[in-house]
Amino acid sequence: MDFFYQLLKPKNRTKVVDIGANPIDGEPPYKTMLDLKICEVVGFEPQTHALAILNQQKSELENYLPYVVGDGAEHQLRICRSSGMTSLFEPNPEVLQVFDFYLPLGEVLERVNVPTIRFDDIHEIQHVDYLKIDIQGGELNVFKHGHQQLKTAVAIQTEVSFMTLYQNQAGFGEIDIELRSQGFVPHCFAAVKHWPISPMVLNQNPAQPLNQLLEADLVYVRDFSKPELMNNEQLKQLAVIAHYAYRSYDLALRCVILLEERQVLSESAKHEYVEYLQTNF
């Protein structure tokens, strides 16, 4: 058992929900936690090929389902030439033409009517500590229809868009307002994507960026300035996610101090953690 996890002794493995689990972007941020067997994952991916890859590679701690998570109504799923651009929203040609690298990727090959399920109505999810979501414009609908599930969550990694590639897609500001209203604050950028404005091409590379922000993976956490709104297990789970998924050792230390003050951890826990960090990182 890893030192920090043994120090915290959470009651349960971290319950991770991954909506839009398509593995095209490489390893998920909770990969270390899976390797250590300290989390369990329920993931959702409606694209058949991507779902098959997930199920082929999964461990005994992972379960993947084909649900389209949204507002509970039937919608049209746009299957795009690029798997990573398939969405419930129509690609926006006005925006794509100023980032013309995306024009062929956003070509809609097929439109399929699909039922969606509200996040709050998914019976396979009993508890959420940590949500990762990337569904090409549909994130806000999930948050608005997931208030009950998100009551227990302490961390969310969501894609946010600064230039919306889809029609009627919520931008960063709308996402931020919604998540703050549910008690979350921005913590860090897991990834930031800049993109060149067409027709600029540098070094014969159409994807080499300058300054324009396109989108990002933004991590929100339960507002740690109001620790009275978190129970002991939530503080432990937040510390686990901060430490293992994002190397946010300062946030993890804050949780340890709060747990020490509540006499949940020993009086030496803070010093043990700091010493461990100085020795190992």
Side-chain angles (χ1 to χ4, degrees):
M1 184 66 69
D2 183 80
F3 165 80
F4 186 54
Y5 199 77
Q6 185 64 30
L7 180 72
L8 290 170
K9 293 184 174 66
K11 291 180 181 178
N12 301 294
R13 290 188 176 105
T14 304
K15 301 301 189 293
V16 180
V17 173
D18 192 337
I19 301 178
N22 192 334
I24 59 172
D25 291 328
E27 294 182 345
Y30 50 82
K31 178 62 164 57
T32 297
M33 298 168 66
L34 270 177
D35 291 343
L36 291 171
K37 301 184 185 299
I38 60 174
C39 74
E40 299 173 3
V41 180
V42 177
F44 302 93
E45 178 51 58
Q47 298 186 73
T48 304
H49 179 66
L51 182 64
I53 293 173
L54 289 166
N55 281 320
Q56 182 180 19
Q57 298 176 347
K58 72 179 182 179
S59 69
E60 72 279 5
L61 296 173
E62 299 166 80
N63 181 30
Y64 296 100
L65 300 164
Y67 302 165
V68 180
V69 186
D71 61 7
E74 183 175 285
H75 290 279
Q76 195 173 79
L77 185 67
R78 281 78 171 180
I79 310 297
C80 292
R81 182 171 298 280
S82 168
S83 171
M85 289 196 68
T86 292
S87 173
L88 292 175
F89 290 80
E90 189 75 18
N92 188 340
E94 291 183 352
V95 178
L96 291 179
Q97 63 91 18
V98 297
F99 302 106
D100 60 13
F101 179 90
Y102 280 95
L103 272 172
L105 303 181
E107 180 187 357
V108 178
L109 303 179
E110 187 179 4
R111 292 176 173 82
V112 181
N113 291 331
V114 294
T116 68
I117 185 170
R118 297 168 72 251
F119 192 14
D120 278 341
D121 295 337
I122 301 175
H123 66 83
E124 287 90 348
I125 300 173
Q126 304 301 317
H127 183 92
V128 182
D129 295 308
Y130 176 21
L131 170 65
K132 174 186 167 290
I133 179 169
D134 181 352
I135 53 172
Q136 301 304 305
E139 293 82 5
L140 184 61
N141 269 336
V142 173
F143 300 144
K144 285 185 172 181
H145 297 277
H147 282 226
Q148 293 303 311
Q149 295 279 25
L150 290 174
K151 278 185 176 180
T152 60
V154 294
I156 298 171
Q157 178 176 313
T158 179
E159 185 175 66
V160 296
S161 292
F162 303 102
M163 296 292 294
T164 50
L165 298 179
Y166 301 90
Q167 296 176 18
N168 302 313
Q169 176 187 1
F172 161 67
E174 294 164 274
I175 297 289
D176 187 66
I177 289 170
E178 175 63 28
L179 290 181
R180 285 178 184 271
S181 77
Q182 295 193 45
F184 297 91
V185 294
H187 173 60
C188 68
F189 287 104
V192 180
K193 184 182 290 184
H194 295 80
W195 209 259
I197 300 170
S198 301
M200 175 62 73
V201 176
L202 293 175
N203 300 319
Q204 299 182 326
N205 179 5
Q208 182 173 328
L210 286 166
N211 291 323
Q212 179 58 51
L213 288 167
L214 186 64
E215 55 197 18
D217 291 324
L218 181 55
V219 179
Y220 282 79
V221 296
R222 185 68 62 184
D223 190 347
F224 51 89
S225 72
K226 300 175 181 177
E228 69 277 5
L229 300 181
M230 280 186 275
N231 61 37
N232 295 336
E233 186 66 12
Q234 284 180 303
L235 283 173
K236 289 184 178 184
Q237 293 296 344
L238 180 55
V240 166
I241 296 162
H243 177 90
Y244 293 104
Y246 300 108
R247 298 185 177 182
S248 292
Y249 306 128
D250 51 350
L251 177 55
L253 178 61
R254 171 56 54 186
C255 295
V256 168
I257 291 170
L258 290 166
L259 289 163
E260 193 175 301
E261 290 173 351
R262 295 182 184 186
Q263 300 183 336
V264 175
L265 299 182
S266 71
E267 294 180 359
S268 63
K270 174 181 67 176
H271 298 293
E272 290 179 47
Y273 183 47
V274 170
E275 184 177 345
Y276 170 75
L277 291 175
Q278 290 173 342
T279 305
N280 292 277
F281 298 96

